[in-house]
Amino acid sequence: MGSFLINGQKPLFGSIKVDSAKNSLLPILAGCLLCDGIVKIYDVTYFEDILNMLEILKMLGVKVKKYEHMLILDCTNIQNSIIPIEYANKLRASIFCLGPLLSRLKKAKLAYPGGCSIGARPIDLHLSGLNSLGAKIIDKHGYISAFYDNMKAGEVHFPFPSVGATENLIMASVFLKGKTTLYGVAKEPEIVDLCRFLNKMGANIKGEGSDVIVIYGVSKLKGGEFRPISDRIIAGTYLMLPLVAGGEVEIENIVPSHISSLIFLLKNNSCKLHINGDKLIVSKIGRLSSLGKVETLPYPHFATDLQQPLSAVASFCKGTTIITENMFEGRFKHVPQLIKMGAKINICDSSLVIQGKEELYGAEVEASDLRGCASLVLAGLGANGYTKIKNIEFLDRGYFKLEEKLQKLGADIVRQT
Ligand code: EPZ
């Protein structure tokens, strides 16, 4: 596994462009399985997770043509409905294929999904939702076998606004004759983007972005063109760069409303945030004060994917910051690594009590998940001395050639294989 070597405390200057959203493109790629035609997707960034999802689509019968920032997918001839473990366990998003395969081929057999080790990450809400629409589900030996059986339009009530389960049920409903109503759905921008894509391909979906989504069944989806939204988690991570390293950075291709909870959190703190359309200029004025109490909750509240990066920022702030992780029970694996760098963090149940330090120092640390790795990069950029971050492949799942982008801003960072 490769590593990053960072020599910290180099102020960052310049501009950096946010890529298209990994967590929008992943369900959209699964949604291509519903389209009996050619789909063209622009602004594509080939994160590792995207490459792995494309391997799954190819195995299912999609013809994939990759260009530098564009994908052309021929989804007219989908035959295979089985995703074996060696493909499925590479990423969580493999489970997003369940709904589309059921809709298109009336059956599916998927090995349990993989994904970052940030908790148990069950799929019970996906399965119970499909079941309540009449699908027959057999969950055995680590495989999910699903059969269309007598699926029909109906109602699904989610006890929790699961992003993936919402996406799966939307895609399982697009061809069901009549009206399917999903209650208690997730409202993330990526859900809205998926519905925008499906409607552009001929679906009839209403209510996306609210608590209730209604899908009116159509007979088929055609091909078409699409441009996904920008990645709000990458945008939030970039916004934190000058807060740890100093300097002034202009972030391009940002949707400020998608990270309004982070922007609000930093208001009146010792940093300058200037928003101009899809650009945001951020700089640190002095040492930040405590970030107070932060709770990760479903959108539009503070995103769980930014909890780990924020804990690195909080490690440099004055006073004490308390971050409570309400979404994933195993999302603190980065904490012992930050402590190795001198951070003062106590884990109390599902909260981090972070007593900020004037300075962290470089150390040899190792990543164990995507956003935890991003937190270690932030800590390394702000630390005094050299930090070596091992298992950097985790970062490549959701950030593209990050070291090259940071070098352009003046960071002293190299990738070592
Ligand atoms: C999506 O994961 C994202 N991944 C995650 O981003 C993100 O953290 C998460 O949504 C929350 O915003 C992709 O979109 C590929 P959930 P997902 O279903 O769909 C529990 C990243 O870093 N749950 O909303 O798996 C679950 O265990 C990744 O880019 C059930 O109990 O998230 C968790 O505690 C990490 N049963 C909570 O709900 C289920 O059937 C939220 O999960 C499904 C979920």
PDB file of all heavy atoms in Angstrom, residues 158-194:
ATOM      1  N   PHE A 158     -39.765   4.546   5.665  1.00  0.00           N
ATOM      2  CA  PHE A 158     -38.408   4.339   6.182  1.00  0.00           C
ATOM      3  C   PHE A 158     -38.352   4.792   7.646  1.00  0.00           C
ATOM      4  O   PHE A 158     -38.681   5.950   7.935  1.00  0.00           O
ATOM      5  CB  PHE A 158     -37.394   5.147   5.370  1.00  0.00           C
ATOM      6  CG  PHE A 158     -37.119   4.594   4.007  1.00  0.00           C
ATOM      7  CD1 PHE A 158     -37.568   5.251   2.879  1.00  0.00           C
ATOM      8  CD2 PHE A 158     -36.417   3.414   3.848  1.00  0.00           C
ATOM      9  CE1 PHE A 158     -37.326   4.746   1.605  1.00  0.00           C
ATOM     10  CE2 PHE A 158     -36.164   2.898   2.584  1.00  0.00           C
ATOM     11  CZ  PHE A 158     -36.619   3.565   1.462  1.00  0.00           C
ATOM     12  N   PRO A 159     -37.909   3.902   8.562  1.00  0.00           N
ATOM     13  CA  PRO A 159     -37.772   4.328   9.956  1.00  0.00           C
ATOM     14  C   PRO A 159     -36.603   5.294  10.141  1.00  0.00           C
ATOM     15  O   PRO A 159     -36.489   6.004  11.125  1.00  0.00           O
ATOM     16  CB  PRO A 159     -37.511   3.012  10.698  1.00  0.00           C
ATOM     17  CG  PRO A 159     -36.971   2.084   9.674  1.00  0.00           C
ATOM     18  CD  PRO A 159     -37.558   2.487   8.353  1.00  0.00           C
ATOM     19  N   PHE A 160     -35.701   5.290   9.116  1.00  0.00           N
ATOM     20  CA  PHE A 160     -34.522   6.161   9.171  1.00  0.00           C
ATOM     21  C   PHE A 160     -34.209   6.605   7.739  1.00  0.00           C
ATOM     22  O   PHE A 160     -34.323   5.798   6.818  1.00  0.00           O
ATOM     23  CB  PHE A 160     -33.330   5.382   9.758  1.00  0.00           C
ATOM     24  CG  PHE A 160     -32.073   6.191   9.750  1.00  0.00           C
ATOM     25  CD1 PHE A 160     -31.803   7.073  10.794  1.00  0.00           C
ATOM     26  CD2 PHE A 160     -31.197   6.139   8.677  1.00  0.00           C
ATOM     27  CE1 PHE A 160     -30.675   7.864  10.776  1.00  0.00           C
ATOM     28  CE2 PHE A 160     -30.060   6.925   8.653  1.00  0.00           C
ATOM     29  CZ  PHE A 160     -29.806   7.795   9.694  1.00  0.00           C
ATOM     30  N   PRO A 161     -33.849   7.849   7.494  1.00  0.00           N
ATOM     31  CA  PRO A 161     -33.633   8.323   6.117  1.00  0.00           C
ATOM     32  C   PRO A 161     -32.317   7.828   5.532  1.00  0.00           C
ATOM     33  O   PRO A 161     -31.379   8.616   5.320  1.00  0.00           O
ATOM     34  CB  PRO A 161     -33.659   9.839   6.258  1.00  0.00           C
ATOM     35  CG  PRO A 161     -33.189  10.100   7.636  1.00  0.00           C
ATOM     36  CD  PRO A 161     -33.667   8.957   8.474  1.00  0.00           C
ATOM     37  N   SER A 162     -32.244   6.519   5.279  1.00  0.00           N
ATOM     38  CA  SER A 162     -31.034   5.939   4.693  1.00  0.00           C
ATOM     39  C   SER A 162     -30.843   6.419   3.258  1.00  0.00           C
ATOM     40  O   SER A 162     -31.753   6.297   2.424  1.00  0.00           O
ATOM     41  CB  SER A 162     -31.151   4.400   4.682  1.00  0.00           C
ATOM     42  OG  SER A 162     -30.359   3.847   3.661  1.00  0.00           O
ATOM     43  N   VAL A 163     -29.647   6.946   2.940  1.00  0.00           N
ATOM     44  CA  VAL A 163     -29.345   7.440   1.592  1.00  0.00           C
ATOM     45  C   VAL A 163     -29.435   6.294   0.587  1.00  0.00           C
ATOM     46  O   VAL A 163     -30.187   6.352  -0.395  1.00  0.00           O
ATOM     47  CB  VAL A 163     -27.950   8.095   1.557  1.00  0.00           C
ATOM     48  CG1 VAL A 163     -27.498   8.383   0.133  1.00  0.00           C
ATOM     49  CG2 VAL A 163     -27.931   9.358   2.409  1.00  0.00           C
ATOM     50  N   GLY A 164     -28.726   5.230   0.833  1.00  0.00           N
ATOM     51  CA  GLY A 164     -28.674   4.119  -0.126  1.00  0.00           C
ATOM     52  C   GLY A 164     -30.013   3.430  -0.288  1.00  0.00           C
ATOM     53  O   GLY A 164     -30.421   3.096  -1.406  1.00  0.00           O
ATOM     54  N   ALA A 165     -30.724   3.251   0.828  1.00  0.00           N
ATOM     55  CA  ALA A 165     -32.032   2.562   0.737  1.00  0.00           C
ATOM     56  C   ALA A 165     -33.016   3.427  -0.047  1.00  0.00           C
ATOM     57  O   ALA A 165     -33.797   2.911  -0.862  1.00  0.00           O
ATOM     58  CB  ALA A 165     -32.563   2.260   2.132  1.00  0.00           C
ATOM     59  N   THR A 166     -32.946   4.745   0.165  1.00  0.00           N
ATOM     60  CA  THR A 166     -33.806   5.660  -0.610  1.00  0.00           C
ATOM     61  C   THR A 166     -33.513   5.505  -2.099  1.00  0.00           C
ATOM     62  O   THR A 166     -34.424   5.352  -2.922  1.00  0.00           O
ATOM     63  CB  THR A 166     -33.560   7.120  -0.174  1.00  0.00           C
ATOM     64  OG1 THR A 166     -33.876   7.272   1.204  1.00  0.00           O
ATOM     65  CG2 THR A 166     -34.393   8.097  -1.001  1.00  0.00           C
ATOM     66  N   GLU A 167     -32.230   5.497  -2.447  1.00  0.00           N
ATOM     67  CA  GLU A 167     -31.837   5.391  -3.860  1.00  0.00           C
ATOM     68  C   GLU A 167     -32.272   4.063  -4.467  1.00  0.00           C
ATOM     69  O   GLU A 167     -32.812   4.017  -5.574  1.00  0.00           O
ATOM     70  CB  GLU A 167     -30.315   5.591  -3.979  1.00  0.00           C
ATOM     71  CG  GLU A 167     -29.898   7.024  -3.661  1.00  0.00           C
ATOM     72  CD  GLU A 167     -28.431   7.206  -3.354  1.00  0.00           C
ATOM     73  OE1 GLU A 167     -27.715   6.221  -3.082  1.00  0.00           O
ATOM     74  OE2 GLU A 167     -27.985   8.371  -3.394  1.00  0.00           O
ATOM     75  N   ASN A 168     -32.091   2.977  -3.692  1.00  0.00           N
ATOM     76  CA  ASN A 168     -32.486   1.660  -4.198  1.00  0.00           C
ATOM     77  C   ASN A 168     -33.983   1.580  -4.449  1.00  0.00           C
ATOM     78  O   ASN A 168     -34.423   1.065  -5.474  1.00  0.00           O
ATOM     79  CB  ASN A 168     -32.078   0.567  -3.196  1.00  0.00           C
ATOM     80  CG  ASN A 168     -31.148  -0.457  -3.827  1.00  0.00           C
ATOM     81  OD1 ASN A 168     -31.221  -0.701  -5.037  1.00  0.00           O
ATOM     82  ND2 ASN A 168     -30.274  -1.023  -3.038  1.00  0.00           N
ATOM     83  N   LEU A 169     -34.768   2.102  -3.516  1.00  0.00           N
ATOM     84  CA  LEU A 169     -36.232   1.995  -3.652  1.00  0.00           C
ATOM     85  C   LEU A 169     -36.759   2.890  -4.771  1.00  0.00           C
ATOM     86  O   LEU A 169     -37.697   2.520  -5.481  1.00  0.00           O
ATOM     87  CB  LEU A 169     -36.896   2.329  -2.305  1.00  0.00           C
ATOM     88  CG  LEU A 169     -37.181   1.136  -1.422  1.00  0.00           C
ATOM     89  CD1 LEU A 169     -38.253   0.232  -2.058  1.00  0.00           C
ATOM     90  CD2 LEU A 169     -35.947   0.296  -1.093  1.00  0.00           C
ATOM     91  N   ILE A 170     -36.131   4.043  -4.961  1.00  0.00           N
ATOM     92  CA  ILE A 170     -36.524   4.892  -6.101  1.00  0.00           C
ATOM     93  C   ILE A 170     -36.325   4.098  -7.389  1.00  0.00           C
ATOM     94  O   ILE A 170     -37.230   3.987  -8.228  1.00  0.00           O
ATOM     95  CB  ILE A 170     -35.693   6.191  -6.144  1.00  0.00           C
ATOM     96  CG1 ILE A 170     -36.063   7.123  -4.990  1.00  0.00           C
ATOM     97  CG2 ILE A 170     -35.874   6.909  -7.485  1.00  0.00           C
ATOM     98  CD1 ILE A 170     -35.085   8.278  -4.798  1.00  0.00           C
ATOM     99  N   MET A 171     -35.166   3.476  -7.521  1.00  0.00           N
ATOM    100  CA  MET A 171     -34.838   2.778  -8.777  1.00  0.00           C
ATOM    101  C   MET A 171     -35.645   1.492  -8.931  1.00  0.00           C
ATOM    102  O   MET A 171     -35.931   1.054 -10.040  1.00  0.00           O
ATOM    103  CB  MET A 171     -33.334   2.527  -8.846  1.00  0.00           C
ATOM    104  CG  MET A 171     -32.537   3.819  -8.935  1.00  0.00           C
ATOM    105  SD  MET A 171     -30.788   3.608  -9.298  1.00  0.00           S
ATOM    106  CE  MET A 171     -30.135   3.196  -7.690  1.00  0.00           C
ATOM    107  N   ALA A 172     -36.078   0.907  -7.816  1.00  0.00           N
ATOM    108  CA  ALA A 172     -36.907  -0.299  -7.890  1.00  0.00           C
ATOM    109  C   ALA A 172     -38.339   0.032  -8.289  1.00  0.00           C
ATOM    110  O   ALA A 172     -39.098  -0.843  -8.700  1.00  0.00           O
ATOM    111  CB  ALA A 172     -36.911  -1.009  -6.538  1.00  0.00           C
ATOM    112  N   SER A 173     -38.713   1.316  -8.193  1.00  0.00           N
ATOM    113  CA  SER A 173     -40.116   1.720  -8.387  1.00  0.00           C
ATOM    114  C   SER A 173     -40.408   2.333  -9.750  1.00  0.00           C
ATOM    115  O   SER A 173     -41.565   2.512 -10.117  1.00  0.00           O
ATOM    116  CB  SER A 173     -40.512   2.732  -7.300  1.00  0.00           C
ATOM    117  OG  SER A 173     -40.237   2.193  -6.033  1.00  0.00           O
ATOM    118  N   VAL A 174     -39.350   2.689 -10.517  1.00  0.00           N
ATOM    119  CA  VAL A 174     -39.584   3.513 -11.714  1.00  0.00           C
ATOM    120  C   VAL A 174     -40.485   2.835 -12.751  1.00  0.00           C
ATOM    121  O   VAL A 174     -41.153   3.511 -13.525  1.00  0.00           O
ATOM    122  CB  VAL A 174     -38.276   3.967 -12.400  1.00  0.00           C
ATOM    123  CG1 VAL A 174     -37.546   5.005 -11.580  1.00  0.00           C
ATOM    124  CG2 VAL A 174     -37.390   2.821 -12.746  1.00  0.00           C
ATOM    125  N   PHE A 175     -40.509   1.489 -12.787  1.00  0.00           N
ATOM    126  CA  PHE A 175     -41.349   0.804 -13.779  1.00  0.00           C
ATOM    127  C   PHE A 175     -42.618   0.215 -13.165  1.00  0.00           C
ATOM    128  O   PHE A 175     -43.389  -0.461 -13.860  1.00  0.00           O
ATOM    129  CB  PHE A 175     -40.564  -0.328 -14.460  1.00  0.00           C
ATOM    130  CG  PHE A 175     -39.357   0.118 -15.238  1.00  0.00           C
ATOM    131  CD1 PHE A 175     -38.214  -0.652 -15.279  1.00  0.00           C
ATOM    132  CD2 PHE A 175     -39.357   1.325 -15.931  1.00  0.00           C
ATOM    133  CE1 PHE A 175     -37.088  -0.242 -15.989  1.00  0.00           C
ATOM    134  CE2 PHE A 175     -38.252   1.746 -16.654  1.00  0.00           C
ATOM    135  CZ  PHE A 175     -37.110   0.968 -16.679  1.00  0.00           C
ATOM    136  N   LEU A 176     -42.855   0.430 -11.865  1.00  0.00           N
ATOM    137  CA  LEU A 176     -44.055  -0.167 -11.241  1.00  0.00           C
ATOM    138  C   LEU A 176     -45.287   0.626 -11.663  1.00  0.00           C
ATOM    139  O   LEU A 176     -45.348   1.844 -11.413  1.00  0.00           O
ATOM    140  CB  LEU A 176     -43.903  -0.166  -9.716  1.00  0.00           C
ATOM    141  CG  LEU A 176     -42.794  -1.061  -9.140  1.00  0.00           C
ATOM    142  CD1 LEU A 176     -42.781  -0.952  -7.606  1.00  0.00           C
ATOM    143  CD2 LEU A 176     -42.956  -2.508  -9.573  1.00  0.00           C
ATOM    144  N   LYS A 177     -46.252  -0.061 -12.305  1.00  0.00           N
ATOM    145  CA  LYS A 177     -47.443   0.636 -12.806  1.00  0.00           C
ATOM    146  C   LYS A 177     -48.173   1.304 -11.635  1.00  0.00           C
ATOM    147  O   LYS A 177     -48.400   0.674 -10.597  1.00  0.00           O
ATOM    148  CB  LYS A 177     -48.411  -0.375 -13.456  1.00  0.00           C
ATOM    149  CG  LYS A 177     -48.075  -0.688 -14.899  1.00  0.00           C
ATOM    150  CD  LYS A 177     -49.239  -1.440 -15.584  1.00  0.00           C
ATOM    151  CE  LYS A 177     -48.788  -1.931 -16.958  1.00  0.00           C
ATOM    152  NZ  LYS A 177     -47.558  -2.806 -16.795  1.00  0.00           N
ATOM    153  N   GLY A 178     -48.484   2.606 -11.801  1.00  0.00           N
ATOM    154  CA  GLY A 178     -49.221   3.268 -10.744  1.00  0.00           C
ATOM    155  C   GLY A 178     -48.303   4.163  -9.922  1.00  0.00           C
ATOM    156  O   GLY A 178     -47.244   4.591 -10.397  1.00  0.00           O
ATOM    157  N   LYS A 179     -48.708   4.417  -8.666  1.00  0.00           N
ATOM    158  CA  LYS A 179     -48.028   5.409  -7.832  1.00  0.00           C
ATOM    159  C   LYS A 179     -47.385   4.730  -6.627  1.00  0.00           C
ATOM    160  O   LYS A 179     -48.074   4.053  -5.857  1.00  0.00           O
ATOM    161  CB  LYS A 179     -49.085   6.426  -7.358  1.00  0.00           C
ATOM    162  CG  LYS A 179     -48.600   7.470  -6.394  1.00  0.00           C
ATOM    163  CD  LYS A 179     -49.773   8.381  -5.990  1.00  0.00           C
ATOM    164  CE  LYS A 179     -49.383   9.327  -4.869  1.00  0.00           C
ATOM    165  NZ  LYS A 179     -50.535  10.159  -4.428  1.00  0.00           N
ATOM    166  N   THR A 180     -46.074   4.916  -6.511  1.00  0.00           N
ATOM    167  CA  THR A 180     -45.362   4.405  -5.323  1.00  0.00           C
ATOM    168  C   THR A 180     -44.944   5.599  -4.483  1.00  0.00           C
ATOM    169  O   THR A 180     -44.398   6.567  -5.012  1.00  0.00           O
ATOM    170  CB  THR A 180     -44.130   3.584  -5.750  1.00  0.00           C
ATOM    171  OG1 THR A 180     -44.587   2.452  -6.501  1.00  0.00           O
ATOM    172  CG2 THR A 180     -43.342   3.112  -4.534  1.00  0.00           C
ATOM    173  N   THR A 181     -45.239   5.526  -3.186  1.00  0.00           N
ATOM    174  CA  THR A 181     -44.900   6.637  -2.290  1.00  0.00           C
ATOM    175  C   THR A 181     -43.882   6.169  -1.249  1.00  0.00           C
ATOM    176  O   THR A 181     -44.108   5.169  -0.569  1.00  0.00           O
ATOM    177  CB  THR A 181     -46.162   7.158  -1.581  1.00  0.00           C
ATOM    178  OG1 THR A 181     -47.146   7.457  -2.581  1.00  0.00           O
ATOM    179  CG2 THR A 181     -45.867   8.424  -0.786  1.00  0.00           C
ATOM    180  N   LEU A 182     -42.769   6.892  -1.171  1.00  0.00           N
ATOM    181  CA  LEU A 182     -41.718   6.577  -0.197  1.00  0.00           C
ATOM    182  C   LEU A 182     -41.738   7.655   0.873  1.00  0.00           C
ATOM    183  O   LEU A 182     -41.548   8.842   0.568  1.00  0.00           O
ATOM    184  CB  LEU A 182     -40.343   6.539  -0.884  1.00  0.00           C
ATOM    185  CG  LEU A 182     -40.200   5.685  -2.153  1.00  0.00           C
ATOM    186  CD1 LEU A 182     -38.764   5.793  -2.711  1.00  0.00           C
ATOM    187  CD2 LEU A 182     -40.579   4.239  -1.904  1.00  0.00           C
ATOM    188  N   TYR A 183     -41.990   7.236   2.121  1.00  0.00           N
ATOM    189  CA  TYR A 183     -42.053   8.187   3.239  1.00  0.00           C
ATOM    190  C   TYR A 183     -40.784   8.121   4.084  1.00  0.00           C
ATOM    191  O   TYR A 183     -40.207   7.055   4.275  1.00  0.00           O
ATOM    192  CB  TYR A 183     -43.247   7.845   4.148  1.00  0.00           C
ATOM    193  CG  TYR A 183     -44.607   7.998   3.509  1.00  0.00           C
ATOM    194  CD1 TYR A 183     -45.243   6.901   2.905  1.00  0.00           C
ATOM    195  CD2 TYR A 183     -45.263   9.220   3.486  1.00  0.00           C
ATOM    196  CE1 TYR A 183     -46.487   7.035   2.313  1.00  0.00           C
ATOM    197  CE2 TYR A 183     -46.518   9.368   2.897  1.00  0.00           C
ATOM    198  CZ  TYR A 183     -47.123   8.262   2.309  1.00  0.00           C
ATOM    199  OH  TYR A 183     -48.362   8.406   1.713  1.00  0.00           O
ATOM    200  N   GLY A 184     -40.367   9.276   4.599  1.00  0.00           N
ATOM    201  CA  GLY A 184     -39.211   9.279   5.502  1.00  0.00           C
ATOM    202  C   GLY A 184     -37.910   9.056   4.773  1.00  0.00           C
ATOM    203  O   GLY A 184     -36.980   8.453   5.280  1.00  0.00           O
ATOM    204  N   VAL A 185     -37.837   9.569   3.529  1.00  0.00           N
ATOM    205  CA  VAL A 185     -36.651   9.358   2.672  1.00  0.00           C
ATOM    206  C   VAL A 185     -35.523  10.320   3.020  1.00  0.00           C
ATOM    207  O   VAL A 185     -35.722  11.352   3.666  1.00  0.00           O
ATOM    208  CB  VAL A 185     -37.027   9.530   1.184  1.00  0.00           C
ATOM    209  CG1 VAL A 185     -37.947   8.425   0.720  1.00  0.00           C
ATOM    210  CG2 VAL A 185     -37.635  10.912   0.947  1.00  0.00           C
ATOM    211  N   ALA A 186     -34.314   9.983   2.534  1.00  0.00           N
ATOM    212  CA  ALA A 186     -33.173  10.885   2.681  1.00  0.00           C
ATOM    213  C   ALA A 186     -33.362  12.084   1.749  1.00  0.00           C
ATOM    214  O   ALA A 186     -34.029  11.972   0.716  1.00  0.00           O
ATOM    215  CB  ALA A 186     -31.878  10.140   2.337  1.00  0.00           C
ATOM    216  N   LYS A 187     -32.774  13.235   2.127  1.00  0.00           N
ATOM    217  CA  LYS A 187     -32.965  14.481   1.358  1.00  0.00           C
ATOM    218  C   LYS A 187     -31.643  15.018   0.810  1.00  0.00           C
ATOM    219  O   LYS A 187     -31.552  16.167   0.395  1.00  0.00           O
ATOM    220  CB  LYS A 187     -33.619  15.534   2.268  1.00  0.00           C
ATOM    221  CG  LYS A 187     -34.976  15.095   2.779  1.00  0.00           C
ATOM    222  CD  LYS A 187     -35.654  16.172   3.573  1.00  0.00           C
ATOM    223  CE  LYS A 187     -35.280  16.097   5.032  1.00  0.00           C
ATOM    224  NZ  LYS A 187     -36.170  16.900   5.903  1.00  0.00           N
ATOM    225  N   GLU A 188     -30.588  14.193   0.866  1.00  0.00           N
ATOM    226  CA  GLU A 188     -29.264  14.656   0.417  1.00  0.00           C
ATOM    227  C   GLU A 188     -29.301  15.174  -1.017  1.00  0.00           C
ATOM    228  O   GLU A 188     -30.084  14.678  -1.851  1.00  0.00           O
ATOM    229  CB  GLU A 188     -28.261  13.502   0.531  1.00  0.00           C
ATOM    230  CG  GLU A 188     -27.601  13.337   1.886  1.00  0.00           C
ATOM    231  CD  GLU A 188     -28.547  12.878   3.013  1.00  0.00           C
ATOM    232  OE1 GLU A 188     -29.725  12.577   2.718  1.00  0.00           O
ATOM    233  OE2 GLU A 188     -28.098  12.827   4.166  1.00  0.00           O
ATOM    234  N   PRO A 189     -28.416  16.120  -1.371  1.00  0.00           N
ATOM    235  CA  PRO A 189     -28.351  16.614  -2.764  1.00  0.00           C
ATOM    236  C   PRO A 189     -28.128  15.490  -3.774  1.00  0.00           C
ATOM    237  O   PRO A 189     -28.572  15.566  -4.916  1.00  0.00           O
ATOM    238  CB  PRO A 189     -27.155  17.564  -2.726  1.00  0.00           C
ATOM    239  CG  PRO A 189     -27.058  18.011  -1.301  1.00  0.00           C
ATOM    240  CD  PRO A 189     -27.503  16.841  -0.473  1.00  0.00           C
ATOM    241  N   GLU A 190     -27.477  14.411  -3.342  1.00  0.00           N
ATOM    242  CA  GLU A 190     -27.206  13.297  -4.257  1.00  0.00           C
ATOM    243  C   GLU A 190     -28.488  12.543  -4.605  1.00  0.00           C
ATOM    244  O   GLU A 190     -28.606  11.961  -5.687  1.00  0.00           O
ATOM    245  CB  GLU A 190     -26.174  12.347  -3.645  1.00  0.00           C
ATOM    246  CG  GLU A 190     -24.785  12.945  -3.464  1.00  0.00           C
ATOM    247  CD  GLU A 190     -24.695  13.881  -2.244  1.00  0.00           C
ATOM    248  OE1 GLU A 190     -25.523  13.768  -1.315  1.00  0.00           O
ATOM    249  OE2 GLU A 190     -23.805  14.753  -2.264  1.00  0.00           O
ATOM    250  N   ILE A 191     -29.458  12.562  -3.698  1.00  0.00           N
ATOM    251  CA  ILE A 191     -30.767  11.953  -3.987  1.00  0.00           C
ATOM    252  C   ILE A 191     -31.472  12.788  -5.062  1.00  0.00           C
ATOM    253  O   ILE A 191     -32.026  12.270  -6.034  1.00  0.00           O
ATOM    254  CB  ILE A 191     -31.644  11.941  -2.716  1.00  0.00           C
ATOM    255  CG1 ILE A 191     -30.970  11.231  -1.557  1.00  0.00           C
ATOM    256  CG2 ILE A 191     -33.029  11.370  -3.020  1.00  0.00           C
ATOM    257  CD1 ILE A 191     -31.051   9.745  -1.531  1.00  0.00           C
ATOM    258  N   VAL A 192     -31.436  14.096  -4.867  1.00  0.00           N
ATOM    259  CA  VAL A 192     -32.066  15.018  -5.827  1.00  0.00           C
ATOM    260  C   VAL A 192     -31.416  14.838  -7.194  1.00  0.00           C
ATOM    261  O   VAL A 192     -32.093  14.795  -8.226  1.00  0.00           O
ATOM    262  CB  VAL A 192     -31.933  16.474  -5.335  1.00  0.00           C
ATOM    263  CG1 VAL A 192     -32.489  17.456  -6.372  1.00  0.00           C
ATOM    264  CG2 VAL A 192     -32.646  16.649  -3.990  1.00  0.00           C
ATOM    265  N   ASP A 193     -30.080  14.685  -7.196  1.00  0.00           N
ATOM    266  CA  ASP A 193     -29.364  14.543  -8.475  1.00  0.00           C
ATOM    267  C   ASP A 193     -29.758  13.239  -9.174  1.00  0.00           C
ATOM    268  O   ASP A 193     -29.970  13.213 -10.395  1.00  0.00           O
ATOM    269  CB  ASP A 193     -27.850  14.560  -8.210  1.00  0.00           C
ATOM    270  CG  ASP A 193     -27.097  15.268  -9.339  1.00  0.00           C
ATOM    271  OD1 ASP A 193     -27.681  16.147 -10.003  1.00  0.00           O
ATOM    272  OD2 ASP A 193     -25.932  14.923  -9.568  1.00  0.00           O
ATOM    273  N   LEU A 194     -29.877  12.158  -8.396  1.00  0.00           N
ATOM    274  CA  LEU A 194     -30.285  10.873  -8.993  1.00  0.00           C
ATOM    275  C   LEU A 194     -31.665  11.015  -9.631  1.00  0.00           C
ATOM    276  O   LEU A 194     -31.896  10.573 -10.764  1.00  0.00           O
ATOM    277  CB  LEU A 194     -30.307   9.778  -7.923  1.00  0.00           C
ATOM    278  CG  LEU A 194     -30.911   8.433  -8.365  1.00  0.00           C
ATOM    279  CD1 LEU A 194     -30.074   7.772  -9.450  1.00  0.00           C
ATOM    280  CD2 LEU A 194     -31.072   7.487  -7.168  1.00  0.00           C
TER     281      LEU A 194
END
